[in-house]
Amino acid sequence: MESKILFRASQVGRLMTDPKLNADKLAGKLGQTAKSYIEEIWLHNNFGYKEEVMTDEMIKGLICEQDSMELVQQVLGGGFRVKNRKNFKNDYLTGTPDIVLIDSIEDLKTSFTVKTFFNSELNSLYYWQGQVYMELTGKKHFRLIYCLVNTPEEIVLDLEKRVYYKFSCDEDNPHYKLWVEQIRKNHTFDNIPAKNRIKVFEFVYNPEDIEKMYRKIDKAREYYKSLTL
Amino acid sequence: MENNEEPIIIENSAIETIEATQRAEYDIQIATAKKYPRDLIKVKNNALAIITMDKQIAESCRYALPRDGKSISGPSVHLARILSQQYGNLRADSRVKQITNNQIISEAICFDLETNYAVKVEVRKSIVGKRGRYSDDMIVVTGNAANAIAFRNAVFSVIPKGLTDICYKKSMEMITGDLSDETKLIQARAKSIKYFIDTYACTENDILSVLGLKAITQIKSEHIADLRGLMQSLIDGDTTPEQTFKSLKPVLETKNIDKINDDKEKNRFIEFINNAQTLDELGMIEQQAIEYGLTEMIEDRKKLISSKNGK
């Protein structure tokens, strides 16, 4: 049913982006980012169109899920963290949190390098993701945890391979050797103590924000219904 | 102490004897060569007869290797062997001269006994890869490859280029077969590509990258010959599939991600069970651990904890 489209927790932040004009904002209109997101859903639902993007960062996030979980367990302790595989949904939202604990939800983000870890923060996208997870699971506490773990060998080799082509497949080139050495350095973090390799942002369930979100979803569904080719 | 002792002169007669024997051997070989000089027409005809005996032999006469985004090719060590056999009155030898920390140095000598012309060639090959110095086995393999290259270079420095070129050209014609029209070229192209994809699980892009081309349609008859040469180099071990086709490096297959994570999670469970000190701790994970088939392990741990507590 078109009017019953569900919004993914990880994307709700896009829906909540305000329009540029203050008048539009006050009128509760959808921003351009939100419209683009709804259009993507519409194109996918009606024509199967989807822009698949798979970056090294995303692959690392997927493959290092358990490494990050182990690191968090080691540093924060508490109940044994198991990857949650259950999908939660209601009439508006859907989502699969990384970890569901007795009293809280945790979502892990694996940083690609020490620089991305350094710059990591609680952005709007992750804030709304957390709110949606809490709404879906009924938990009142959310922890967004950035983790810095070594990049898997497969990804490092892939990065090296790209440089290899840049240097015309010459493994003896001293610049190539230096570059490769730097790649390894950028993706190995064993020298950083475990406690410094996690960054935690904690927040609680906000019913007002949730209410605001549902209103936005109603607008989004109206916009969805208005779309044509 | 008086220094009135007579100096002792050591005569190394053994060395002199060896040198004399070697000289005599060479003299005999040169004399024999002069007595039975080679017939160049016969050499050429015999070499061509061997080279064109079948397609496999012709293919072995050419090598092709990807270097610097292009394909380099030329007469192979097999052709050098065929030519040196047929040319006659030659002495050719190669050996590993030295192994340094990062290189293997091979030396080859080719001596034309008839003209008394000799060439010595040195070839260096790196024995350091991405993960440091090669293993002993790989150093032996690299040494053999360096010896083969040195041998080839030495032989081709002695045997006239004109003769080598004639034989090489003939082998090329034999390799590519009749590619006189577009249909035959397309068929040969498809066959070659299929061979590499089927045998080495590489991609079309890998093949294009090896040839330094951008599109399959750019593959012409000379490239077909390059690919055949590459086949030969891979079979001979002059190069490896991983060195040739970069996509063969152990890249991550996204379809394996779930399995990787499941394996890691199972290991975390095992570690947790082994370290659990109380039954409550085990109770926390019991339900999920069962999904990984760790029931027995949990029961054993429970018994151990209970027996400890009992004591």
Side-chain angles (χ1 to χ4, degrees):
Chain A
M1 273 249 261
E2 284 198 344
S3 59
K4 285 285 182 189
I5 53 161
L6 302 181
F7 291 89
R8 282 165 54 204
S10 59
Q11 301 297 315
V12 165
R14 291 174 70 188
L15 205 61
M16 300 308 291
T17 319
D18 285 325
K20 281 179 186 165
L21 293 173
N22 206 33
D24 290 344
K25 193 176 162 182
L26 290 172
K29 286 186 180 173
L30 296 168
Q32 194 47 53
T33 313
K35 283 181 176 174
S36 302
Y37 170 47
I38 299 157
E39 286 157 15
E40 279 171 26
I41 300 174
W42 186 80
L43 286 169
H44 178 63
N45 289 350
N46 289 283
F47 305 101
Y49 176 81
K50 198 174 184 183
E51 280 172 21
E52 288 292 355
V53 183
M54 186 58 91
T55 62
D56 290 335
E57 287 82 350
M58 288 159 78
I59 294 174
K60 181 175 176 179
L62 291 171
I63 201 172
C64 292
E65 209 167 49
Q66 287 293 325
D67 303 289
S68 293
M69 219 173 268
E70 196 177 352
L71 179 68
V72 171
Q73 189 73 49
Q74 185 190 339
V75 178
L76 298 183
F80 186 77
R81 286 164 175 82
V82 182
K83 166 74 185 162
N84 165 61
R85 289 173 175 85
K86 187 183 168 194
N87 176 259
F88 295 85
K89 59 171 85 168
N90 64 16
D91 287 345
Y92 297 84
L93 306 158
T94 176
T96 311
D98 283 343
I99 302 162
V100 181
L101 296 171
I102 295 166
D103 58 346
S104 59
I105 298 288
E106 287 178 346
D107 208 59
L108 308 184
K109 307 288 177 198
T110 306
S111 298
F112 195 55
T113 62
V114 72
K115 190 182 175 188
T116 53
F117 180 74
F118 173 76
N119 291 325
S120 59
E121 56 184 17
L122 174 60
N123 61 27
S124 150
L125 211 59
Y126 295 153
Y127 171 79
W128 284 107
Q129 190 177 5
Q131 288 297 343
V132 172
Y133 285 152
M134 285 188 278
E135 169 69 1
L136 289 171
T137 58
K139 311 281 178 191
K140 303 296 175 201
H141 294 272
F142 180 84
R143 266 188 296 275
L144 170 71
I145 309 171
Y146 285 97
C147 303
L148 188 62
V149 295
N150 290 345
T151 304
E153 185 64 13
E154 294 92 331
I155 297 175
V156 175
L157 280 174
D158 210 39
L159 293 169
E160 285 180 1
K161 198 171 77 184
R162 286 172 215 166
V163 180
Y164 177 83
Y165 283 124
K166 277 197 173 71
F167 283 95
S168 307
C169 310
D170 179 10
E171 282 181 88
D172 295 326
N173 186 314
H175 297 287
Y176 166 77
K177 286 179 179 170
L178 279 176
W179 202 327
V180 164
E181 200 182 310
Q182 191 59 52
I183 288 173
R184 295 246 158 222
K185 211 178 274 181
N186 289 352
H187 290 276
T188 313
F189 314 108
D190 295 327
N191 54 335
I192 304 173
K195 66 177 171 55
N196 294 342
R197 287 194 278 122
I198 69 162
K199 218 187 241 190
V200 185
F201 295 93
E202 218 166 341
F203 52 93
V204 294
Y205 179 72
N206 186 335
E208 286 170 23
D209 277 346
I210 293 293
E211 196 49 48
K212 212 160 76 181
M213 180 188 67
Y214 281 133
R215 285 203 298 271
K216 210 58 156 202
I217 289 177
D218 287 336
K219 294 258 181 218
R221 283 177 171 172
E222 278 171 32
Y223 182 67
Y224 182 93
K225 276 196 273 183
S226 74
L227 292 172
T228 52
L229 264 185
Chain B
M1 196 175 163
E2 281 184 28
N3 192 13
N4 56 358
E5 288 174 20
E6 282 189 17
I8 301 164
I9 298 166
I10 301 167
E11 289 183 359
N12 199 337
S13 56
I15 293 172
E16 281 183 359
T17 312
I18 292 166
E19 278 179 359
T21 313
Q22 280 182 343
R23 210 176 305 125
E25 274 176 17
Y26 275 122
D27 284 345
I28 292 165
Q29 286 171 3
I30 290 168
T32 312
K34 301 271 186 201
K35 195 174 172 187
Y36 304 104
R38 65 178 69 93
D39 175 352
L40 279 175
I41 301 294
K42 203 173 153 193
V43 170
K44 189 186 97 175
N45 290 341
N46 284 355
L48 288 178
I50 294 170
I51 290 161
T52 55
M53 199 176 276
D54 67 35
K55 214 171 173 181
Q56 237 180 342
I57 296 175
E59 280 171 5
S60 75
C61 292
R62 188 172 191 274
Y63 77 90
L65 293 170
R67 286 286 180 276
D68 298 340
K70 286 180 285 183
S71 170
I72 56 161
S73 58
S76 72
V77 65
H78 295 275
L79 182 59
R81 283 184 193 132
I82 293 169
L83 280 178
S84 54
Q85 284 158 12
Q86 297 309 314
Y87 199 66
N89 293 333
L90 272 186
R91 292 291 172 269
D93 189 22
S94 63
R95 69 186 177 105
V96 170
K97 187 181 156 191
Q98 197 187 346
I99 302 173
T100 68
N101 282 341
N102 49 16
Q103 278 186 330
I104 198 157
I105 304 163
S106 182
E107 186 185 77
I109 296 167
C110 185
F111 184 8
D112 184 346
L113 298 161
E114 222 177 293
T115 58
N116 203 13
Y117 172 65
V119 169
K120 189 192 275 183
V121 169
E122 201 175 273
V123 165
R124 288 165 184 264
K125 265 182 110 66
S126 171
I127 49 170
V128 182
K130 282 183 191 306
R131 288 181 186 81
R133 201 168 191 259
Y134 289 173
S135 64
D136 287 350
D137 283 347
M138 269 307 288
I139 290 173
V140 172
V141 171
T142 311
N144 290 341
N147 278 344
I149 295 166
F151 179 89
R152 180 193 70 198
N153 293 353
V155 167
F156 287 141
S157 301
V158 170
I159 292 177
K161 192 171 180 296
L163 180 62
T164 309
D165 286 350
I166 291 168
C167 296
Y168 181 59
K169 206 176 153 206
K170 210 70 187 164
S171 71
M172 283 272 288
E173 285 171 15
M174 184 81 182
I175 294 169
T176 55
D178 180 15
L179 297 176
S180 50
D181 64 59
E182 192 68 13
T183 317
K184 285 171 183 161
L185 177 65
I186 290 168
Q187 280 172 353
R189 195 188 277 158
K191 203 175 161 191
S192 300
I193 291 170
K194 190 176 179 305
Y195 169 82
F196 283 103
I197 292 174
D198 289 352
T199 314
Y200 300 106
C202 63
T203 64
E204 276 187 6
N205 278 343
D206 280 329
I207 298 166
L208 289 174
S209 163
V210 162
L211 296 171
L213 302 175
K214 300 268 181 241
I216 295 291
T217 47
Q218 288 178 318
I219 299 177
K220 304 293 179 202
S221 58
E222 64 268 27
H223 302 117
I224 301 281
D226 279 355
L227 289 175
R228 297 280 163 80
L230 182 59
M231 270 178 213
Q232 192 57 47
S233 301
L234 284 162
I235 292 166
D236 290 349
D238 291 344
T239 187
T240 65
E242 286 74 19
Q243 281 171 340
T244 310
F245 308 117
K246 290 298 146 187
S247 75
L248 296 187
K249 285 195 170 179
V251 288
L252 179 72
E253 283 188 55
T254 42
K255 65 180 178 191
N256 289 337
I257 289 177
D258 284 345
K259 194 186 174 307
I260 291 169
N261 277 319
D262 283 350
D263 289 346
K264 282 183 186 173
E265 191 165 72
K266 188 177 178 181
N267 288 336
R268 286 181 58 227
F269 270 112
I270 293 169
E271 204 184 326
F272 185 85
I273 294 166
N274 287 334
N275 293 327
Q277 299 299 320
T278 64
L279 295 175
D280 284 349
E281 274 181 74
L282 285 176
M284 270 198 311
I285 56 138
E286 195 167 0
Q287 212 51 43
Q288 294 106 326
I290 288 167
E291 287 171 27
Y292 283 115
L294 300 172
T295 320
E296 209 173 310
M297 188 179 245
I298 289 184
E299 291 308 317
D300 288 347
R301 189 71 194 171
K302 273 182 182 172
K303 278 179 202 161
L304 191 76
I305 293 169
S306 302
S307 67
K308 271 185 186 173
N309 291 344
K311 280 176 190 174

